[in-house]
Amino acid sequence: MSPRPWRLITASIITVAAATACTAGGQSPASGGPKADAPQTIEVWHGWSAPHEVKAFEDAIAGFHRLHPNITVKLVKGQDDTKILNAIRGGNPPDVVSSFSTNNVGQFCSSSALQDLTPYLKKDKVDLNLFPKAVQDYTQYRGDRCTLPLLADDYALYSNKALMKGNPPPKTISQLTALAKKLTVRNADGTIKVAGFMPSETYYEHVPEHIAGPSFGATWLTAQGRADFAADPAFTKYLQWEKGLLDWYGYDNVKKFIHSMGQEFEASNPFEKGKVAMAIDGEWRTKFLQQEAPKVQYATTPTPVDDARANTYGGGFVTGTIIGIPRGARHAQASWEFVKYLTTDTDALVTFANGLGNVPSTIPALASPNLDLPPQFKTFLDVFKNPNSSTVPSTINGGDFIVKFQSFVQEQWEPGKVTNLRQGLQGLDKKVNDALQLAGG
């Protein structure tokens, strides 16, 4: 998959999802449409658009054509959640959709925009233990499994071997902090020439969900589905660490350094240019380094963890692409055969993973000898299946709680506008919970 962080999803998705729930009627039954063995064409919408991505998808479904010669698959590239939800709301959906936005699973399921796949899974006796626990979690909402996983992303620490100067990659937050300071090189005026590690959440993938949960054990929502940032000491510990290291660099210095950086997904990325010694990033960076900076010698290791949680080292943040069958799909049974094949067939997943440089999303595919990925990719395979890996929960209004938390960090906490952290987090809790209540969650 192209790296498209779901933190960029806007509130407009929430509005569309709510409208979908109100206007499109009930969910199609599992028995709807022609039988799977009848001649038919199914339309599949997906978000990939680059030529190599489109080819990877075509290669992955070659086996499906051989198994089901009666089913013609029409692939439609470059589709996002807004287009998907508008089509469902308008009563003219495709037969299968994939999305890069796991945080929208709550919206998809609660509105019945995507069908509950449980009847299909039970009918064909599909064992959900094919998928790691974190993956099982992010493909359902309150017991409604309206999606299945289609490849995955996870996160780990990249270390530039030349800039590390013989130091081993850190395993704990205290080691990371000490190395970040030791490896940082400043210009004569105190500004940053080479950063050991950038603590600001405005640095690409250094967002709270990639660090606060996996490293500090933060729990994003309570068992009742409500924010409780103020009461969870892990959030306080994470924020104090982040701000402490940011202040060591100097807030203005960090802003200046970040403003001087290249684009995340271009060859000007500062890690690829030797401007950052250590960075948390997704598995796709191995492909970018291979293509854009082949001379950079680097290592990948799991994300460092809070020293008090050293026994959880090896996990990380996990997310991925999801796939499902829209309400109103006209070829539901054939669509299920397609979804089942693409999400459970080891050869299809390995072919897809090799083509995109992503993590295959089943345990058998993770162990396949046919995976053809660089040595540094092994870290991501290990993180993906590690029981300490985690994701963020889905809600009825998507990633709104993440967006609000990030805004609090970026606009108030990092600039030093918060004088009382507990009170600030209590105010954030209220904003998040008011929004959830308004959305009907």
Side-chain angles (χ1 to χ4, degrees):
M1 133 192 11
S2 291
R4 295 176 174 88
W6 59 258
R7 53 193 161 89
L8 300 179
I9 299 298
T10 66
S12 62
I13 299 295
I14 298 170
T15 304
V16 176
T20 301
C22 297
T23 62
Q27 178 173 325
S28 297
S31 58
K35 293 182 178 179
D37 57 2
Q40 58 198 292
T41 297
I42 61 172
E43 187 167 304
V44 178
W45 285 13
H46 65 86
W48 291 285
S49 57
H52 79 278
E53 296 173 329
V54 173
K55 183 179 185 303
F57 205 133
E58 292 170 348
D59 291 345
I61 67 172
F64 180 80
H65 290 302
R66 290 191 292 270
L67 285 173
H68 301 277
N70 60 298
I71 301 175
T72 300
V73 180
K74 178 184 177 182
L75 297 176
V76 182
K77 66 181 182 180
Q79 302 301 301
D80 60 25
D81 286 5
T82 300
K83 294 176 183 176
I84 289 169
L85 289 165
N86 279 336
I88 297 170
R89 181 179 60 177
N92 189 34
D95 296 292
V96 177
V97 297
S98 73
S99 166
F100 297 132
S101 307
T102 57
N103 63 319
N104 283 335
V105 169
Q107 299 168 355
F108 286 138
C109 293
S110 63
S111 67
S112 297
L114 298 184
Q115 297 185 34
D116 183 1
L117 299 178
T118 302
Y120 301 94
L121 292 161
K122 288 183 176 179
K123 175 175 67 74
D124 288 349
K125 296 180 172 60
V126 176
D127 185 1
L128 291 175
N129 289 322
L130 279 169
F131 313 110
K133 184 180 182 304
V135 178
Q136 294 182 41
D137 289 345
Y138 71 62
T139 50
Q140 62 85 35
Y141 177 68
R142 295 184 178 178
D144 183 349
R145 187 169 301 284
C146 69
T147 70
L148 284 177
L150 177 59
L151 299 188
D153 297 317
D154 59 34
Y155 294 78
L157 184 74
Y158 284 74
S159 302
N160 182 311
K161 289 185 176 181
L163 298 180
M164 293 293 286
K165 301 176 182 178
N167 291 286
K171 294 184 177 181
T172 66
I173 290 295
S174 65
Q175 292 172 354
L176 173 65
T177 305
L179 264 179
K181 296 177 179 180
K182 180 179 179 180
L183 301 177
T184 293
V185 179
R186 295 181 186 263
N187 296 306
D189 60 358
T191 55
I192 304 165
K193 183 177 182 180
V194 176
F197 180 87
M198 270 283 104
S200 174
E201 78 149 38
T202 56
Y203 181 86
Y204 304 147
E205 301 299 333
H206 289 187
V207 292
E209 61 268 34
H210 297 169
I211 303 176
S215 296
F216 289 86
T219 301
W220 285 98
L221 298 174
T222 66
Q224 292 72 40
R226 289 293 181 264
D228 202 10
F229 301 129
D232 187 344
F235 283 107
T236 296
K237 199 168 189 180
Y238 158 69
L239 289 169
Q240 289 175 338
W241 163 76
E242 189 242 20
K243 186 71 163 61
L245 186 53
L246 186 148
D247 288 347
W248 180 83
Y249 278 107
Y251 178 72
D252 290 339
N253 288 335
V254 168
K255 282 181 63 178
K256 186 175 293 186
F257 182 83
I258 288 174
H259 288 159
S260 71
M261 297 186 315
Q263 295 298 311
E264 181 176 3
F265 304 121
E266 294 182 0
S268 54
N269 181 288
F271 184 84
E272 296 183 20
K273 286 295 186 182
K275 297 293 186 182
V276 172
M278 299 176 290
I280 294 170
D281 211 339
E283 82 290 337
W284 60 75
R285 184 61 54 192
T286 60
K287 198 84 166 178
F288 279 74
L289 285 159
Q290 194 174 43
Q291 295 174 347
E292 298 173 348
K295 294 183 179 179
V296 172
Q297 299 296 308
Y298 70 98
T300 60
T301 51
T303 302
V305 296
D306 178 34
D307 294 58
R309 304 179 71 249
N311 64 328
T312 67
Y313 179 74
F317 181 79
V318 175
T319 186
T321 302
I322 51 177
I323 189 168
I325 302 171
R327 177 184 57 238
R330 292 171 177 79
H331 306 88
Q333 296 186 61
S335 298
W336 164 244
E337 293 300 327
F338 180 85
V339 169
K340 179 177 67 173
Y341 173 82
L342 199 54
T343 58
T344 65
D345 186 88
T346 296
D347 288 341
L349 287 167
V350 168
T351 298
F352 212 2
N354 286 341
L356 294 180
N358 289 157
V359 177
S361 39
T362 67
I363 292 173
L366 289 169
S368 172
N370 297 321
L371 283 173
D372 183 20
L373 298 161
Q376 294 92 338
F377 204 91
K378 183 178 184 301
T379 297
F380 297 96
L381 299 178
D382 292 341
V383 167
F384 185 67
K385 58 189 177 185
N386 190 291
N388 293 308
S389 289
S390 62
T391 188
V392 294
S394 186
T395 68
I396 197 168
N397 61 353
D400 178 72
F401 67 101
I402 293 287
V403 172
K404 283 183 168 57
F405 188 87
Q406 290 178 346
S407 296
F408 171 79
V409 176
Q410 184 175 341
E411 298 169 11
Q412 299 181 53
W413 178 245
E414 290 188 356
K417 297 178 181 178
V418 178
T419 56
N420 186 309
L421 179 55
R422 182 171 179 79
Q423 287 181 2
L425 290 176
Q426 286 173 337
L428 178 61
D429 285 336
K430 185 176 188 308
K431 288 180 181 178
V432 169
N433 293 330
D434 285 350
L436 282 167
Q437 186 172 7
L438 184 63

